[in-house]
Amino acid sequence: MYVCSCFGITEAQVKKHADDGACTPRQIASACKAGTDCGGCVRRIQALLGRDCSRRDLVGQQREPVAAGGHPMAMPVAAQDVRLPDAA
C-alpha cells in the first residue's frame, strides 16, 4: 500500500527505512523524500514509526529537559511546530 503518493513510497519502504534506523518522519524524508511534497502522508509515517521507534529513540539517549511548568507539552506552541523542509 502506498504511503506517499507524491513519490510512490510504500508502507514496506517506510518500514525498511525504520528498520535501518530512521525513527522520525524527518529521517524518513531524508531517506526517501516521503512527506516532503504535499505533506499528506506525514501522519501515516508517524503512525508507522509508532511505538517501536519511540522506544528505540530513548535507548541509550538522554531525555530532553522538561519545559517550565513540569510537563514536556508545556513549551510554547511555536517550539512544537516542526515542519519538514520543502523538496528542492
Side-chain angles (χ1 to χ4, degrees):
M1 170 181 253
Y2 284 100
V3 172
C4 176
S5 299
C6 297
F7 294 105
I9 306 300
T10 64
E11 191 171 299
Q13 288 171 297
V14 171
K15 289 179 181 180
K16 170 76 170 94
H17 291 301
D19 288 343
D20 290 343
C23 289
T24 65
R26 186 173 298 236
Q27 290 171 338
I28 295 293
S30 293
C32 64
K33 296 174 79 173
T36 62
D37 194 26
C38 78
C41 59
V42 174
R43 287 190 180 185
R44 180 68 183 136
I45 292 169
Q46 288 172 325
L48 287 171
L49 295 174
R51 297 180 186 114
D52 291 337
C53 278
S54 298
R55 286 191 292 256
R56 188 171 37 216
D57 265 344
L58 296 176
V59 173
Q61 292 185 8
Q62 192 175 33
R63 292 184 141 205
E64 291 185 37
V66 176
H71 191 274
M73 298 306 288
M75 67 180 71
V77 174
Q80 294 176 6
D81 187 19
V82 178
R83 298 184 187 271
L84 295 173
D86 291 332

